[in-house]
Each structure stands twice: as structure tokens, then as C-alpha cells.
Amino acid sequence: MIQNFRTYDLALKFYRRLPNIDAPVHLKDQLNRAASSIILNLAEGSGKPTKRDRTKFYAIAFGSIREVQALTDILNCNAETKEAIDHLAARVFKLVYKQ
């Protein structure tokens, strides 16, 4: 599907780790929705024809990353999980603010 987009691959890899996180149902649902939003906005943005349009979707993905980061704090996730989302955040930050 989406080839040679390492940030997308990283987001997908993070999403696939989520079943291993123990959380109350309402927080688990929110975590899944926010994490899937990262992937979907990266995918949609990558298909936009202008830099401005791409940046808009990458910025939305970055907002979803912040939501996931807050949830990992609430759930007191392990350091490996927090490091994975922080690494993804750095990658998406570059997509939004590289100019």
C-alpha cells in the first residue's frame, strides 16, 4: 500500500503493540482510536498533492500522538512503549515543521 514511508510504518508498528497494553475499556478504546488516527492521517496526508495539504494531515496526526502520549502517562505504560511513541512523535514533528 504505502511504500517507503518510514513514519507510517513506525505508526503501524506502534499500533500493533497496543493489544499488549492492559487498560480499562474506555481508555483502551480511546488509545486505539487515537493510535489509528495517527496512521490514517499519515496515509491521507501522503496522498495530498500540495505541501500545505500534506502538512495539515500530518499536524492532525501529531495531535493524535499527543493524545496517545497522555494516555500512556495515565496508564503508566512501560518505558519501552513511551519511548516508541516519543520516537514516532519526533518523526511526525519533522514532517510538520521541516521547511
Side-chain angles (χ1 to χ4, degrees):
M1 185 176 153
I2 298 175
Q3 297 178 347
N4 300 322
F5 190 5
R6 285 180 249 146
T7 306
Y8 174 87
D9 293 338
L10 199 59
L12 191 56
K13 184 178 177 183
F14 178 80
Y15 181 81
R16 289 181 176 154
R17 312 169 58 137
L18 296 181
N20 298 328
I21 295 175
D22 187 34
V25 174
H26 67 287
L27 292 178
K28 184 76 165 204
D29 179 58
Q30 189 68 25
L31 182 61
N32 283 322
R33 287 187 289 121
S36 65
S37 175
I38 297 166
I39 298 165
L40 296 172
N41 280 292
L42 289 173
E44 188 167 358
S46 72
K48 295 299 178 182
T50 68
K51 181 170 179 53
R52 182 177 180 202
D53 286 341
R54 284 189 301 275
T55 301
K56 174 184 168 186
F57 284 93
Y58 296 159
I60 293 168
F62 190 71
S64 295
I65 286 172
R66 291 296 190 219
E67 187 175 356
V68 169
Q69 288 173 319
L71 284 160
T72 61
D73 286 342
I74 290 169
L75 297 170
N76 200 25
C77 290
N78 63 38
E80 185 180 322
T81 300
K82 288 183 177 192
E83 188 176 303
I85 193 63
D86 289 348
H87 180 65
L88 179 58
R91 298 289 298 262
V92 175
F93 183 88
K94 287 181 183 179
L95 289 174
V96 175
Y97 295 104
K98 72 173 185 183
Q99 306 230 16

